[in-house]
Amino acid sequence: MLKTVAPGSSLDAEFFPGMVKKWGRLHDQHETAPTGRSAGSLAWAASPHLFLDRSDKNIAGVILMQLLPFADPQALQTFADFESGLYKVA
């Protein structure tokens, strides 16, 4: 869980609850996500939202949204729907 220190600018955020995650400059994913993103993928959750699937699926996605607060539920759902849609057509 990423806990906010500025509630007016950011909400608490939990990406893929229950999954093992490591953080650095990018989110390093260790399990396959419910959206279809493969283990070993990298992601960034601030604006822009992006992911790089380094598996043989050869999929990457970027969606640009500039809004406050960070981790807005509708924005996160839009990104999840966008990502899931990419995997459905790939």
Side-chain angles (χ1 to χ4, degrees), residues 7-90:
S9 299
S10 177
L11 303 176
D12 292 341
E14 175 61 76
F15 302 98
F16 303 122
M19 290 178 55
V20 175
K21 300 172 281 291
K22 292 189 178 181
W23 298 92
R25 291 179 187 223
L26 295 172
H27 166 235
D28 185 3
Q29 188 170 323
H30 292 268
E31 299 176 50
T32 299
T35 57
R37 189 189 314 161
S38 303
S41 296
L42 300 173
W44 180 255
S47 186
H49 295 281
L50 64 92
F51 71 95
L52 307 166
D53 189 324
R54 301 185 297 175
S55 74
D56 60 355
K57 294 177 183 174
N58 293 317
I59 296 176
V62 177
I63 192 167
L64 304 170
M65 294 181 277
Q66 191 68 34
L67 56 96
L68 290 176
F70 169 72
D72 173 78
Q74 289 179 324
L76 295 178
Q77 187 61 55
T78 298
F79 182 58
D81 293 344
F82 167 72
E83 183 176 331
S84 295
L86 286 176
Y87 280 97
K88 286 178 184 174
V89 299

